[in-house]
Amino acid sequence: MDVKTVVKKFIDPMPDDKPMAKHPGAPLSMKDIVAPPSIVVDFDNLKIGNFYFRTLFVAGYPRFVSANWLEPLISFNHTLDIAMYIYPTKSEEVLENLKRKVGEMEATIQSDMKRGRVIEPSIQVALEDALGLQQELAKGAQRFFQFGLYVTIPAKSMDDLNKATKQVEATLSSLLIVTKRAILQMEEGIKTTLPMGQDRLVITRNMDTTSLATTFPFTTSELTANEGILYGINEHNDSLVIFDRFTLENANTVVFGKSGSGKSFMVKLEILRSLMFDTEVIVIDPENEYETLTHALGGEYIRFHFGATTKINPFDLALLHQQGATLEESELNQKILSLHGFFRVVMGKLTPTEDALLDRALILTYKQKGITPDPATQNKEPPLMEDLYKTLIGMEEETAKGLADRIEKFVKGSLVGIFDQQTNIEIRNQLTVFSIRDLEDELRPIAMYLVLDFIWTKVRRNIKRRILIVDEAWYMMKYPDSGAFLNSIAKRARKYYLGLTTITQDVEDFLSVDLGKAIIQNSSLQILLKQSSAAIDKVAEIFYLSEGEKHLLLSANIGEGLFFAGPAHAAIRVIASPQEHALITTKPQELEATKNAQQVPPTPSSRPIYTVETVSTNK
């Protein structure tokens, strides 16, 4: 016979409750609205509606615990309802009980010694602990408490419940904590972990003040370090979130948030504060959001658009060599591999035959300029897009003519003058921003790939502390090859003292491909700002968010969200000083107000408090 109590009233009726409605037309009471459709109480689980629940209680604790010992439980990758009950106890009663226990243990030890028996080590240790605690209580340095710890695990199915239960039990066992299931007391167990403050199980353990203090459950969200930059305020305890991303396994960061959530504002604050620590910052800016900041800090702002004098040659090899340095390895093969990815973005999908033909054409194009795999030849002037076009035209295969047609618009057509000239720029400034706003949407992924390749070359040849920021990274995810290139940078950045920051507002597009998920896995710092209801489920699945964290991201204000740094995470509120805010804001209303204020002529009595002179350090 099944050991179940089926469809049981969960909330005990009060004496003044009205009787339940007998016919459909009668009004519903509040309990009728709040109560679940059904409750099934089994001997080791509870089913409420379509969800299953199981409650565990802690029956055994380790002899020694350190601060934050509950961190693995608080940060567990599954929604848990954790309840702690603390009962103060009178010191006089505890001292009396301790006196009796100390007498019993001393008598046991004396008896064993008289009979020639070996003294039990457990009794000896317990006696030492009791005497130490007795002395502390007598001095008033410690107080005594009864402590109960309970965990309720929710799940959507019985299989998920069993799996999560085993994981929780294994996690606590690794801390030498013994857990038991509340067999035949599941109803009392779930009521114990509800926010009603009622301990229905009353399974407690003696604890003194010091031991009890180590159970403080929010130390896992403490993200204040002795070094790093200020990211914001910890919403849990109003402490400062000061962190150095380069102290983690890797310095990569991903920033997700809907439009207007404060992504660029937060990243510009990080730029402003990182520059003070001698960190070189390079930005790919699709919307000219970093222009004001760059000019104010004396940085270099490089624009790409039709008619601009700024040029980057995709075939460039000269910048792969440091001045005065001799290379023992050939860079040509690696450059050709990079060009394969670049031309897949330019031409679209290539068949194996077209890919092999393109490879032959690239090698031949370099050879015609006198550049071979011999490193000694790689200081010569590299070819241009036009040279590859002529090489493809000169081949006999019909497929080569088709490849030439795909790049003709960059050589002779509407897109001439963008990628078909020698490189005339270099990264020499502490802050360098590449703007691609004035390019058409179809050219942006191409330009981002080209600029990233140019930056990556610089990073590999001159290693120093750098941050590379790719705004609107979903452009790169539109093409598998550009996405793969960004992912390869994320994997290898740590070796070159580089931190890659990936920013996107189109979370669905970014996470819809495996490469996007791989970039997240290779980013130790993850920042989630306000999310849309359409994307929150996908984000919650990737980042293992609890229901409370999902609601926080849906209801967050501008500049509020979750800050993940390795295993620790906390709710964060980004803050800036008035001077920083005026420098980095992109709100149209604030920019218009600033512009109008600057146009108002000063009164005769007004005078400037200080003046700011911007000195360009460009060479």
Side-chain angles (χ1 to χ4, degrees), residues 318-523:
L319 293 177
L320 292 174
H321 301 268
Q322 292 176 315
Q323 293 183 353
T326 58
L327 292 179
E328 298 181 355
E329 60 179 9
S330 171
E331 293 285 353
L332 181 61
N333 294 336
Q334 187 170 358
K335 186 63 180 181
I336 288 178
L337 290 176
S338 176
L339 285 172
H340 272 281
F342 174 74
F343 280 107
R344 288 193 194 100
V345 178
V346 172
M347 299 179 179
K349 188 175 181 180
L350 299 177
T351 65
T353 303
E354 292 173 333
D355 198 46
L357 191 60
L358 176 63
D359 188 70
R360 286 168 44 201
L362 289 171
I363 295 174
L364 183 58
T365 301
Y366 276 105
K367 189 174 182 180
Q368 290 172 349
K369 291 290 184 178
I371 300 174
T372 67
D374 182 6
T377 66
Q378 293 171 14
N379 285 321
K380 298 181 179 180
E381 183 179 87
L384 298 172
M385 184 87 75
E386 183 180 2
D387 296 315
L388 176 62
Y389 176 77
K390 292 178 179 178
T391 301
L392 291 170
I393 290 293
M395 288 183 168
E396 298 179 356
E397 291 89 341
E398 187 65 26
T399 306
K401 180 66 169 58
L403 293 177
D405 292 340
R406 297 194 200 182
I407 63 173
E408 184 175 354
K409 59 183 177 181
F410 295 97
V411 179
K412 299 180 178 179
S414 58
L415 303 181
V416 66
I418 300 180
F419 310 124
D420 62 339
Q421 296 183 28
Q422 296 293 351
T423 300
N424 59 2
I425 62 171
E426 177 59 297
I427 301 176
R428 298 188 181 95
N429 204 291
Q430 193 74 8
L431 172 61
T432 306
V433 180
F434 294 87
S435 170
I436 59 174
R437 187 193 68 171
D438 298 325
L439 292 177
E440 297 294 330
D441 285 347
E442 64 174 311
L443 292 178
R444 286 190 180 188
I446 301 174
M448 291 179 78
Y449 190 105
L450 184 59
V451 172
L452 270 177
D453 185 49
F454 176 78
I455 295 170
W456 184 238
T457 297
K458 167 74 173 179
V459 167
R460 289 189 295 116
R461 286 302 169 199
N462 182 18
I463 298 177
K464 64 178 295 187
R465 182 181 172 116
R466 288 188 182 92
I467 294 176
L468 170 59
I469 298 168
V470 182
D471 208 340
E472 301 298 346
W474 62 272
Y475 279 115
M476 303 289 288
M477 296 296 108
K478 292 171 66 176
Y479 299 90
D481 290 281
S482 58
F485 185 51
L486 187 63
N487 182 40
S488 69
I489 293 178
K491 287 182 177 180
R492 301 167 61 190
R494 179 185 60 84
K495 301 177 182 178
Y496 300 99
Y497 207 8
L498 174 70
L500 173 66
T501 298
T502 309
I503 312 171
T504 186
Q505 66 182 25
D506 290 325
V507 180
E508 288 284 351
D509 291 342
F510 193 87
L511 297 180
S512 61
V513 294
D514 291 337
L515 289 172
K517 299 176 183 177
I519 291 173
I520 294 174
Q521 293 171 355
N522 285 296
S523 300

Side-chain angles (χ1 to χ4, degrees), residues 56-65 69-70 72-73 76 149 151 164-181:
L56 309 178
F57 62 87
V58 176
Y61 295 82
R63 183 166 180 262
F64 290 103
V65 291
W69 63 279
L70 281 179
L73 187 64
F76 192 75
L149 178 60
V151 180
T165 302
K166 290 180 180 178
Q167 291 174 344
V168 171
E169 291 174 338
T171 300
L172 293 177
S173 295
S174 67
L175 302 174
L176 302 180
I177 297 173
V178 180
T179 59
K180 300 290 185 181
R181 302 182 185 185

